[in-house]
Amino acid sequence: MVSVFFNKLNSQKKVIAILFCILLFIHTIFATPYFNGTMGIGGRFQPIPEKFPALLMDAYFAGQFDLSSSVTLRTSLSMYTTESIIKESIFQNTPSIFNLDEVSLTYRGSVGSISHYLGIYLGEYDPVGSDIFLQRQFGIPSFASRLTETICGISKAKIYDMTGIGGTYTVRFPQNLALGVNVYYNKAKDWTSITVGESLDSSDDVFAESLNTDLRFAGAWRAAALDLSLGLTMPMKKEITFEDGNTQKVILLIERADMHAGLTAYFGSSNSSSLLFQAGFTKLIIDPNAAKKEQVLSFDDVYVLIEPRFVSKSLCFSLSLFNMPTSTKENLFYVEDPVGISVSLYTPWISLSGNKSQFGLMTTMSSSKSLDNIIKGNEEGLGFEAIKEDLGLFVSPYGIIYFGAGKLNFSLNVNALDIKDWNSFLDNVSLIAGYKVQL
């Protein structure tokens, strides 16, 4: 997962963190008795008329090292280019972003039939919205929606951002139940410091420190899995501003607490019809400031994904309804807009020249307008007129083929409503391919 926190570090700290990870990685390769992980590489190609074609690359590594029978080290790194690697000066000076997504150290112990997990981490640890926490705690197979995959085929589903420096404690009971608590510190963009209508460059962005807490409940059974999290974000200040404009330094000041929550529920199994339901919000303001026209809850901060799946011997079908905050849909290939509906037809797993394969077609209708704006337009009597200019129709045939030691994902994405001629077709079509291996 893309680590927003790590991107905020200055360059010196980045160098130190990278060197630390490299040294730690080299040490553990030779010292640890057991290792498992995944590695992937992918690309996104888009032809552009009268210009060089655009090719963006993406790569990641995620590994788990068992340092002993009770201590585990996990690390996850990713890199992606922000501009095409095909230029006049090909493969030279291409801007790219390196992310330290996670470094965590976890102690695992047990008292009778109850297991305890105590960990510290930098980055994002078992994000809410992903099925990673359920997989690690209960060993169930992945049930993530294809909508939330990226170039390398990694699930990027997250209902709210948990990136930071923190600690976690989880208790797992023999009834396939788990309870956990997270406490972490991070920095997020302080939107309250930006004047309405003001445009700021990224270099001028203002970031607010915050202390965050999360309580988590999860369970997995034969035909159901549940992951529920509820927490608070408490912005931290070190300066008080009085009404007369004077300021005073303080050690620590917490003036407010905003709530966030996430729920993932999965019913059924991958071999039969099933239902994936995800819902949550990134920010619920407990005490809104009327002077700043704050709302208790905005649809811009609400995450919803409802996806029933129907499986038969010859054809499978899924229907997805979604509303995603901008911050949670970054780097997704199939989701361009915050609100929409998607229909997918796909084959069951078949054998192609002895390789396990699956092929499908996904069609997504979405709006670049937020749900708040759509509702406001309907209240003003605009109806369909309020969104028709902002609609997109995305048609995406895709395939998955297992061969060699890994899995190949590939897909074509076409924005059909913006195609008027050959040049506009080239502008609105892109091809992705990614290969992921188990190490």
Side-chain angles (χ1 to χ4, degrees):
M1 308 205 165
V2 177
S3 175
V4 177
F5 175 79
F6 187 72
N7 282 334
K8 305 299 183 289
L9 297 177
N10 60 41
S11 52
Q12 289 183 343
K13 291 183 179 179
K14 281 188 178 182
V15 172
I16 294 172
I18 293 170
L19 290 175
F20 171 76
C21 291
I22 292 173
L23 292 173
L24 197 59
F25 179 76
I26 292 173
H27 169 75
T28 51
I29 278 184
F30 292 101
T32 184
Y34 183 74
F35 162 80
N36 68 83
T38 60
M39 182 171 62
I41 186 169
R44 176 170 180 164
F45 177 79
Q46 182 174 10
I48 301 177
E50 301 177 1
K51 298 179 183 178
F52 283 90
L55 177 60
L56 301 176
M57 300 299 296
D58 189 6
Y60 84 100
F61 164 81
Q64 176 174 309
F65 307 86
D66 290 344
L67 304 181
S68 70
S69 60
S70 57
V71 179
T72 299
L73 170 70
R74 293 206 308 254
T75 182
S76 177
L77 314 170
S78 63
M79 183 277 296
Y80 58 93
T81 57
T82 57
E83 293 183 12
S84 174
I85 66 173
I86 303 178
K87 298 180 178 180
E88 294 180 7
S89 56
I90 189 168
F91 299 115
Q92 294 183 8
N93 302 322
T94 302
S96 59
I97 293 178
F98 170 85
N99 289 311
L100 175 59
D101 299 322
E102 178 190 354
V103 173
S104 65
L105 195 65
T106 304
Y107 171 79
R108 180 178 64 253
S110 61
V111 178
S113 58
I114 299 176
S115 299
H116 301 263
Y117 300 84
L118 181 64
I120 55 174
Y121 62 90
L122 166 66
E124 193 161 36
Y125 189 90
D126 293 346
V128 172
S130 169
D131 57 8
I132 293 176
F133 183 76
L134 291 167
Q135 289 186 64
R136 288 173 175 165
Q137 288 296 326
F138 308 113
I140 65 175
S142 175
F143 54 78
S145 170
R146 187 164 184 85
L147 275 174
T148 57
E149 289 187 353
T150 59
I151 290 177
C152 291
I154 322 163
S155 174
K156 288 285 186 179
K158 61 177 182 179
I159 296 175
Y160 60 85
D161 189 14
M162 296 177 64
T163 306
I165 299 175
T168 178
Y169 174 66
T170 303
V171 182
R172 190 180 69 201
F173 300 96
Q175 296 84 6
N176 275 357
L177 295 174
L179 294 174
V181 58
N182 280 22
V183 179
Y184 52 101
Y185 158 87
N186 64 10
K187 288 186 177 181
K189 185 173 290 188
D190 184 7
W191 297 105
T192 62
S193 65
I194 301 175
T195 304
V196 176
E198 182 180 5
S199 176
L200 294 179
D201 296 329
S202 59
S203 58
D204 297 324
D205 287 347
V206 179
F207 297 93
E209 300 175 79
S210 64
L211 180 66
N212 306 268
T213 61
D214 289 300
L215 295 176
R216 197 163 192 172
F217 168 80
W221 304 276
R222 182 176 180 181
L226 181 69
D227 184 9
L228 172 64
S229 182
L230 180 67
L232 295 174
T233 296
M234 295 167 283
M236 301 160 55
K237 293 185 177 181
K238 296 182 180 179
E239 186 178 79
I240 299 176
T241 302
F242 298 100
E243 293 182 358
D244 58 5
N246 293 325
T247 61
Q248 178 181 342
K249 298 289 185 180
V250 296
I251 297 175
L252 178 64
L253 175 65
I254 296 178
E255 294 181 322
R256 60 188 293 169
D258 300 332
M259 187 178 294
H260 52 249
L263 168 67
T264 295
Y266 181 69
F267 305 97
S269 72
S270 57
N271 299 319
S272 63
S273 297
S274 58
L275 172 65
L276 173 62
F277 176 79
Q278 294 185 299
F281 47 86
T282 60
K283 181 175 66 175
L284 185 149
I285 302 176
I286 298 174
D287 185 18
N289 188 325
K292 295 182 179 181
K293 298 182 180 180
E294 290 181 336
Q295 304 178 52
V296 174
L297 181 65
S298 167
F299 279 111
D300 290 341
D301 299 316
V302 172
Y303 183 106
V304 176
L305 174 61
I306 305 172
E307 186 176 276
R309 306 169 187 171
F310 305 94
V311 176
S312 68
K313 292 183 178 180
S314 56
L315 187 65
C316 304
F317 167 79
S318 67
L319 174 66
S320 306
L321 303 173
F322 64 88
N323 181 76
M324 296 184 182
T326 302
S327 60
T328 65
K329 66 179 187 66
E330 295 176 350
N331 304 315
L332 302 184
F333 179 70
Y334 296 104
V335 179
E336 295 281 347
D337 301 318
V339 57
I341 180 172
S342 180
V343 176
S344 183
L345 295 173
Y346 55 99
T347 67
W349 290 105
I350 60 176
S351 178
L352 183 66
S353 300
N355 299 311
K356 183 180 177 182
S357 308
Q358 187 179 67
F359 302 93
L361 175 67
M362 182 184 300
T363 303
T364 304
M365 176 73 75
S366 59
S367 171
S368 59
K369 280 192 172 181
S370 68
L371 198 55
D372 275 333
N373 289 332
I374 293 174
I375 293 173
K376 182 179 179 180
N378 287 331
E379 290 175 349
E380 294 173 353
L382 297 178
F384 182 71
E385 297 293 327
I387 61 171
K388 72 175 185 178
E389 297 297 329
D390 304 288
L391 287 178
L393 177 63
F394 302 91
V395 181
S396 307
Y398 64 86
I400 306 169
I401 301 176
Y402 284 85
F403 73 92
K407 178 177 71 171
L408 173 67
N409 284 273
F410 56 91
S411 178
L412 182 72
N413 194 21
V414 180
N415 186 358
L417 293 184
D418 287 347
I419 297 176
K420 297 177 178 60
D421 51 32
W422 175 248
N423 284 346
S424 61
F425 170 78
L426 295 178
D427 274 332
N428 290 282
V429 63
S430 58
L431 173 68
I432 65 164
Y435 188 68
K436 180 169 65 174
V437 296
Q438 193 77 27
L439 302 175

